[in-house]
Amino acid sequence: MRKIYLLIITAFISIAAYSQTEVGTWQFEVGTSAFGENTIKHGTSTGFNLFSTDGTTIFSIGAEGGYFFQDNTAIKFGLGYTDLDFTNFLTYKLGFKHYAGGNVPIQIDLTGATNEDQDTFGGGTIDTPDPLWLGFQVGYAAFFSDNVAFEPTIRYNASLNKDFTDEGILELKFNFVIFF
């Protein structure tokens, strides 16, 4: 009996998820990512983050949006702002998000950032190159209601700019998505 209830609940969630990812639907997404010790990754942020270690504080704010141009597939865009102790970045994102089975979001995007000012670090002024990443993301959309979902995801940003960093960035993200 328990298996039957689980099957019914799963079917209901899948049907509700599909109706939110139809052509013409918009989505608005805010979230955060789990931070590690690598401060470079905060240039990829289009979410809310606060991190402090060894006297360095990093703050990020941003959001993403998308438009479903076909069922289960949206074109995504995002903006974010990161304030580091020694410089600031304006982050942008453009890509695609597909909901496999209606509730497994898979995203591929290009994420970049522009350095908002000259760095003043150690008494001198230096230029920081603008970072650029190719992002891959997969997760699960748990729908709380017809138009609100919680999406925990795993994301990997592959560096496309070796002048900034040649390291990739692995993140665990926690997003809330509103569909309208």
Side-chain angles (χ1 to χ4, degrees):
M1 191 65 158
R2 193 181 310 176
K3 289 181 182 180
I4 292 173
Y5 288 135
L6 185 60
L7 182 62
I8 291 170
I9 290 170
T10 303
F12 177 75
I13 290 173
S14 296
I15 291 167
Y18 182 74
S19 68
Q20 298 308 317
T21 59
E22 292 176 340
V23 172
T25 302
W26 287 87
Q27 73 173 53
F28 178 72
E29 185 174 320
V30 293
T32 185
S33 65
F35 285 157
E37 294 188 27
N38 184 354
T39 58
I40 302 256
K41 78 177 181 180
H42 305 295
T44 67
S45 182
T46 54
F48 295 97
N49 301 298
L50 179 62
F51 179 71
S52 184
T53 184
D54 297 331
T56 300
T57 300
I58 302 166
F59 172 75
S60 299
I61 187 169
E64 297 180 24
Y67 176 76
F68 287 89
F69 63 94
Q70 76 180 60
D71 287 349
N72 293 325
T73 305
I75 187 164
K76 290 277 305 269
F77 47 89
L79 284 174
Y81 175 78
T82 300
D83 180 14
L84 293 113
D85 282 347
F86 55 90
T87 192
N88 301 307
F89 287 101
L90 180 62
T91 305
Y92 56 90
K93 184 181 287 186
L94 182 63
F96 294 95
K97 188 172 191 178
H98 178 75
Y99 284 82
N103 57 358
V104 177
I106 301 167
Q107 183 170 313
I108 297 174
D109 57 62
L110 186 64
T111 303
T114 59
N115 188 3
E116 289 299 296
D117 54 11
Q118 295 291 320
D119 297 333
T120 54
F121 189 68
T125 301
I126 60 172
D127 285 325
T128 300
D130 292 341
L132 189 62
W133 293 275
L134 181 61
F136 304 94
Q137 181 172 306
V138 66
Y140 182 79
F143 282 80
F144 292 134
S145 68
D146 289 343
N147 63 340
V148 178
F150 174 66
E151 291 184 6
T153 59
I154 294 175
R155 179 176 176 81
Y156 181 75
N157 295 297
S159 177
L160 298 177
N161 185 345
K162 294 200 184 292
D163 291 336
F164 184 77
T165 181
D166 60 356
E167 298 176 15
I169 301 167
L170 184 64
E171 295 180 272
L172 179 59
K173 298 178 61 88
F174 304 98
N175 302 318
F176 287 93
V177 184
I178 299 172
F179 299 87
F180 53 96

